[in-house]
Amino acid sequence: MNVLVINAGSSSLKFQLLDVDTREVYAKGNCERIGIDGSFVGYESCVADGKQTLEVDLPDHKTAVKHVFDIVKATGKDFVGIGHRVVQGGWYFPESKVVTDESLGWVREVAPLAPLHNYAEADVIQICRELFPEIGNVIVADTSFHYNIPERAWRYALPRDVVDKLHIRKYGAHGTSHRYIWRATKEFLGDDVHKLVSCHLGSGASLAGITDGKDMDTTMGLTPLDGLIMGTRCGTIDPATVVYLQREGGYSVDDVDTMMNKQSGLLALSAISSDSRDIEQAADNGDEFCAMAIEMFAYRTAQLIMEMAQANEGMDTIAFSAGIGENSARMRAEVIKKLAWMGVCIDDEKNAVRSDEVRDISGANSSVRVLVVPTNEEYMIALDVAELLG
Ligand code: AMP
């Protein structure tokens, strides 16, 4: 059964056409620089040789969606529906839902919690409905997996009337990825996994504590700014810093928002790049800022692994995933080194292996199993679509 998965951003639109039974991908790509000069569609398809680039004008998302459908149509594969990744599901999406006027309205209603993403996503869903009314659409929110974490984990210690009025709570993000990481870990370990700490370490980064498939806590909060240090996001800091920057530093609300989301994190620490590859290379060449950026990222990750272990009241498995978690043997080693006091260790040779498969990199006698689990959010979204529309 084939499904088209769409992940729309404010100026980009990623897509993938895949078979949920065989996991075969028939077409995938990205429409980039939508509404900006120099737009193009980069893609691969089962009916084209290698990577393709269409240098086309993409003035809006509607034009991008039309190109995606041309590419998908050329594969000759039918599909049962379209799965849309939605960053913020708010209080309406404890699970994935078929698109109706009502559910699409909810995506817009909660958009103030993720304005850069939700409005574009809602627009693209509406475009798909108008262009192809015969095809069903499904909303898969990144927050769903976290919605039913225990109240002690999601509630903020702010006045009740305020949090009720403004729907303030921990929503988390990367839920679809954490859900996949649990599934893949369970497939790999069977009955040997019960208490997993899932580490999605990419340019955005979050952890989840998962017990027998149920999410117990996660490190992102009301928005994806909380928790770990990220590529350009500061992660957890004293909340009073926000007020202090405005009162004493003279920064506006928008300045602080931009600073914390786009100018902080690894970029600010290293003073050269948000990309961990650049940072690792510079650290090797003696750059002290970069060495400290790696140290801080690893320290915070290890600290938050322990927080998630507490949410699980135990930990038998740690899984590393996403860009840094899957590819940086060095960062994995730095994180695990910090947990040596509790008997966690990895095997350096196994850690150095590169592969697209789930792999066990635990050291002999490690108190906790350590895995690398390549994430696959598109597959998880496609599974939901198959279940709801198949
Ligand atoms: P993602 O958001 O999951 O695409 O992850 C992006 C992050 O993964 C960036 O910080 C990249 O630098 C990082 N990354 C990708 N490949 C590697 C690698 N081989 N070594 C270190 N970091 C990597």
Side-chain angles (χ1 to χ4, degrees), residues 256-275:
V256 176
D257 195 26
T258 304
M259 183 192 299
M260 290 183 173
N261 278 291
K262 302 222 165 95
Q263 300 161 349
S264 297
L266 292 175
L267 175 65
L269 292 171
S270 69
I272 58 160
S273 172
S274 62
D275 191 310

Side-chain angles (χ1 to χ4, degrees), residues 99-118:
V99 173
T100 58
D101 288 344
E102 188 179 40
S103 61
L104 183 54
W106 293 335
V107 175
R108 293 191 199 279
E109 190 182 329
V110 302
L113 287 165
L116 289 180
H117 293 99
N118 270 44

